[in-house]
Amino acid sequence: MKRRSLLIVLCCLANSALAAPASYVLENTEVRDIRAPALKRDYQLYVALPDSYRQGNKRYPVLFVTDANYAFPVVRNIAQRLNKHAGMEEVVVVGLSYANGDGGVYSRRRDYTPTTPRKHDYRSDMPGRQPAFGEAKAYGQFISGEVFPFIASNYRVNMQRKVFIGHSYGSLLGLQFLLTEPRTFEHYILGSPSLWYDAGIMFEREQAYAASHKDLPASVFFGIGGLEKLAAGKKRSRAEEDADMLADVREFDGKLTSRKFPNLKTRLRVFEDEDHASVFPFVLTHGLRAYLKASQ
């Protein structure tokens, strides 16, 4: 009997040792599955609710965040910290995942870019599948046509106070909205936009928009690292390897400002000692401060 009891104990200890450690879970967060019928793909929405969400019937500003696998916890935590320690109003954060079953690079190249590059030698990060590009318009329609109604019907959000947050390719998606349907969001936070993409296609899009419109009703915060510039001795071009992202965003913002659109508000902030990898939290913090109010 004692031997049997000892065996049972040993088995329990062995099973306990083999059990995987518990995962860390962000409080007040949810994951929702959502279908994109026109795209024939499935995505997930990562939703972070403010601490006061269960306590009343208030409707909150809502932040829509691209590249959610990285950016969602960053945005959720910084927004929460700004509320608790800097008096900024609370928000609901919605992270937009990559497509289920797709690699992150594959998904974002396809969903966030406005065109297939006229010249490129990109390789796919998914064996057996050619790289895909240029579906920003269709993906944007999924966001406005499927994601917006889902969030509006399931959460207490103020859909008149929607904020877009993107970085790099994610900012290309933001510019797609800005130059086609600018009223889709009430505020755009665009970090380090890849304006070199497809030989500077967004400069062409901006020029075409200005030629056919008298106004651009939007609030835009551009942010970029001061180190995101061309190395000394290299000649700037609209190619990725010779792009000066800092000069590009200054040029783009300057063009928008020169149009003197009556209802366009832009601001550009350069974070001097930051690069493409490190700048996003700074862009986010200052971009939120440019739009969100102090807590009431």
Side-chain angles (χ1 to χ4, degrees):
M1 189 70 177
K2 289 183 179 180
R3 183 177 178 183
R4 183 182 177 189
S5 298
L6 179 60
L7 286 173
I8 292 173
V9 170
L10 290 174
C11 286
C12 289
L13 289 173
N15 289 335
S16 177
L18 293 174
S23 298
Y24 178 77
V25 178
L26 293 173
E27 292 182 279
N28 296 326
T29 61
E30 302 175 354
V31 178
R32 299 293 196 109
D33 295 316
I34 187 167
R35 178 72 175 170
L39 302 178
K40 297 181 173 59
R41 293 193 287 270
D42 294 300
Y43 294 85
Q44 290 183 319
L45 303 176
Y46 310 152
V47 182
L49 303 175
D51 291 343
S52 67
Y53 188 83
R54 314 285 183 196
Q55 300 169 5
N57 57 8
K58 177 181 176 180
R59 294 189 175 273
Y60 299 85
V62 53
L63 316 182
F64 291 89
V65 185
T66 61
D67 289 304
N69 297 46
Y70 156 70
F72 173 74
V74 176
V75 175
R76 179 260 187 195
N77 290 345
I78 288 179
Q80 186 181 78
R81 186 169 182 83
L82 288 174
N83 167 254
K84 290 184 176 180
H85 302 289
M88 192 171 291
E89 62 185 316
E90 291 180 295
V91 297
V92 169
V93 181
V94 178
L96 304 167
S97 82
Y98 302 129
N100 292 357
D102 286 353
V105 173
Y106 189 94
S107 187
R108 72 195 301 267
R109 277 180 179 169
R110 178 194 58 216
D111 291 346
Y112 298 171
T113 59
T115 54
T116 296
R118 287 161 280 193
K119 294 181 180 180
H120 76 84
D121 58 357
Y122 294 108
R123 295 182 179 181
S124 176
D125 65 325
M126 299 191 69
R129 296 174 66 179
Q130 291 297 313
F133 305 91
E135 295 190 22
K137 179 180 179 181
Y139 181 72
Q141 290 171 342
F142 158 64
I143 292 175
S144 59
E146 305 291 337
V147 174
F148 282 4
F150 181 90
I151 294 298
S153 63
N154 286 281
Y155 298 96
R156 290 198 324 277
V157 292
N158 183 349
M159 294 299 285
Q160 303 306 309
R161 299 190 67 202
K162 302 182 299 297
V163 178
F164 178 94
I165 301 173
H167 181 254
S168 196
Y169 271 20
S171 290
L172 283 183
L173 178 63
L175 290 173
Q176 169 73 26
F177 282 116
L178 184 69
L179 297 175
T180 55
E181 298 291 340
R183 295 185 188 273
T184 304
F185 295 90
E186 283 65 49
H187 186 56
Y188 294 82
I189 300 175
L190 305 179
S192 307
S194 301
L195 289 163
W196 50 263
Y197 183 81
D198 193 11
I201 186 66
M202 281 305 181
F203 286 95
E204 299 173 26
R205 297 273 180 96
E206 188 279 333
Q207 185 174 3
Y209 183 95
S212 57
H213 295 79
K214 295 182 178 180
D215 197 10
L216 179 57
S219 167
V220 186
F221 181 93
F222 290 111
I224 192 164
L227 301 179
E228 297 188 70
K229 57 188 177 182
L230 193 61
K234 297 193 72 175
K235 184 178 180 181
R236 180 188 173 199
S237 76
R238 298 288 194 216
E240 181 177 8
E241 60 272 15
D242 296 315
D244 187 322
M245 296 185 68
L246 178 55
D248 282 349
V249 75
R250 281 175 165 157
E251 180 183 344
F252 194 87
D253 182 61
K255 287 183 179 295
L256 286 177
T257 302
S258 72
R259 310 300 185 188
K260 299 191 183 304
F261 292 124
N263 290 297
L264 173 64
K265 177 183 177 182
T266 72
R267 182 181 176 188
L268 170 60
R269 179 72 183 268
V270 178
F271 300 92
E272 292 298 340
D273 296 322
E274 306 305 327
D275 59 23
H276 197 72
S278 67
V279 77
F280 178 69
F282 296 91
V283 176
L284 171 66
T285 298
H286 289 265
L288 291 177
R289 283 176 166 165
Y291 179 73
L292 295 179
K293 303 173 183 177
S295 299
Q296 301 296 319

